[in-house]
Amino acid sequence: GKLLNFHINPNPTGVAERDGEIRRLQRKIRHGIKEHHCSYRNEVKSDLPVLYSYSDEVQKNLNRLSKHAAQFYFDLLEPSDQQKWMALEDNFREIPSRSKTTVAVFGIYDLPRVGITFGRKGKGHKKGKIFVFIVNDDREDGEWMWLDAMYIKTIYGILKSNIFPSGLFEDFSGTRHDCSPNTIMVPVDRINRRIGRLVPGFEEKVLLEQSKSPFEHALVATRDIHEGEDITMCYLGSREDKSRSTRTRRAILEQKYGFVCHCKSCVNNVYC
């Protein structure tokens, strides 16, 4: 819902210059979608969802718009929550040139640090390094450093690598994907309501502590999980995406999360 706000709201940040750039991206995206949406099904025989069939230019503008959203919501977080965000994995590690990008610097300090880069890349003995401004903990000052790219993650790359339809979840991000998983993600309040109907006299806090946030979810097993077996979940958001061919599921996962799926269902070319 928060990301959608940046697609439909002409002034999502309240900052004139930033909102002007967002409106330009919105117009370009609408124009590109109008051009490609209607012709796609007639020209291409594929079960790939229309969202993933847009032209490269539309996809680039969608990514740029999402980067604005990621930066905006990251800046609203408390430092402790920003640390949790920066600790998550970035499967993309894409640092654009000549573009201001907020990054997470890790593996050098005790905790990840916020950095800013304009994508300047080193040459000669600095090849493979990125020029980054490391922000001090008080956010008042910092220092410029040449850093190996392996120590840098982008705020948007982290979001894109870990986001689920219901949001960004610290605990779920480390759960392995499987197209035929042994768990599903369910809102906590839905579980409590369900159990409340089945068990007379049930009190919500007996099973699951009621969350302060309506967005809190839990993993619920869909079958018996054997000792030593990995707990898995499906990153594909909709039932329609999950039921597609192996080729299509892999294409969606690679574009959305930056990896090629090698689960048992994909290896055996099974429709889920």
Side-chain angles (χ1 to χ4, degrees):
K2 290 184 176 181
L3 291 178
L4 180 62
N5 182 48
F6 272 69
H7 289 263
I8 61 177
N9 188 341
N11 301 291
T13 71
V15 179
E17 183 177 354
R18 201 169 179 181
D19 286 338
E21 172 62 19
I22 289 169
R23 286 193 293 274
R24 284 191 288 273
L25 289 172
Q26 290 172 341
R27 287 194 295 269
K28 289 180 180 179
I29 291 167
R30 285 195 295 267
H31 178 73
I33 289 175
K34 185 177 180 180
E35 284 188 340
H36 294 277
H37 190 280
C38 296
S39 63
Y40 170 71
R41 293 295 180 186
N42 296 328
E43 296 178 358
V44 182
K45 294 182 178 179
S46 169
D47 64 347
L48 193 67
V50 175
L51 172 63
Y52 303 103
S53 69
Y54 294 146
S55 67
D56 289 343
E57 188 63 27
V58 172
Q59 295 291 354
K60 287 179 182 177
N61 287 326
L62 284 168
N63 281 335
R64 288 170 184 151
L65 193 59
S66 296
K67 286 177 183 177
H68 279 288
Q71 183 65 61
F72 178 75
Y73 291 118
F74 179 82
D75 290 341
L76 292 179
L77 295 175
E78 294 294 329
S80 59
D81 290 327
Q82 290 184 346
Q83 290 288 342
K84 293 176 182 178
W85 184 320
M86 292 188 294
L88 300 177
E89 188 53 70
D90 178 359
N91 294 331
F92 297 92
R93 303 293 181 92
E94 297 172 347
I95 302 176
S97 300
R98 299 182 298 278
S99 176
K100 183 179 178 180
T101 304
T102 299
V103 298
V105 177
F106 67 102
I108 298 176
Y109 305 97
D110 292 337
L111 294 172
R113 296 273 290 274
V114 175
I116 298 170
T117 180
F118 291 90
R120 180 183 172 190
K121 299 179 181 179
K123 300 178 181 179
H125 70 281
K126 291 188 176 72
K127 188 175 182 179
K129 295 180 182 291
I130 308 291
F131 204 40
V132 179
F133 182 77
I134 309 297
V135 181
N136 288 341
D137 291 337
D138 57 12
R139 305 298 167 91
E140 295 294 331
D141 201 356
E143 61 177 328
W144 287 98
M145 294 177 61
W146 285 101
L147 296 176
D148 288 325
M150 63 181 291
Y151 296 120
I152 302 171
K153 300 182 285 190
T154 69
I155 298 304
Y156 173 60
I158 295 171
L159 178 70
K160 189 177 179 182
S161 301
N162 296 279
I163 195 163
F164 295 100
S166 301
L168 187 64
F169 296 88
E170 179 187 9
D171 294 333
F172 295 161
S173 296
T175 305
R176 189 166 63 84
H177 164 82
D178 195 302
C179 292
S180 299
N182 53 28
T183 71
I184 57 173
M185 190 166 65
V186 183
V188 168
D189 60 348
R190 185 184 300 175
I191 297 172
N192 287 332
R193 290 197 304 270
R194 176 73 172 173
I195 297 299
R197 287 196 298 268
L198 296 177
V199 182
F202 168 79
E203 295 182 4
E204 287 183 343
K205 292 187 178 180
V206 172
L207 180 67
L208 289 173
E209 184 75 20
Q210 186 63 40
S211 170
K212 296 178 182 179
S213 167
F215 302 108
E216 185 168 359
H217 287 57
L219 289 182
V220 178
T222 56
R223 60 171 175 80
D224 290 340
I225 301 176
H226 304 293
E227 184 177 354
E229 181 182 359
D230 285 343
I231 294 175
T232 59
M233 62 186 296
C234 185
Y235 294 176
L236 297 169
S238 68
R239 182 174 298 178
E240 182 183 10
D241 285 348
K242 296 174 186 177
S243 64
R244 297 181 187 275
S245 67
T246 296
R247 180 171 177 268
T248 302
R249 293 198 309 270
R250 282 179 162 173
I252 295 172
L253 289 165
E254 186 170 12
Q255 182 166 330
K256 285 184 70 176
Y257 295 105
F259 71 89
V260 177
C261 183
H262 293 286
C263 71
K264 188 175 180 179
S265 296
C266 286
V267 170
N268 294 327
N269 198 24
V270 174
Y271 275 81
C272 296

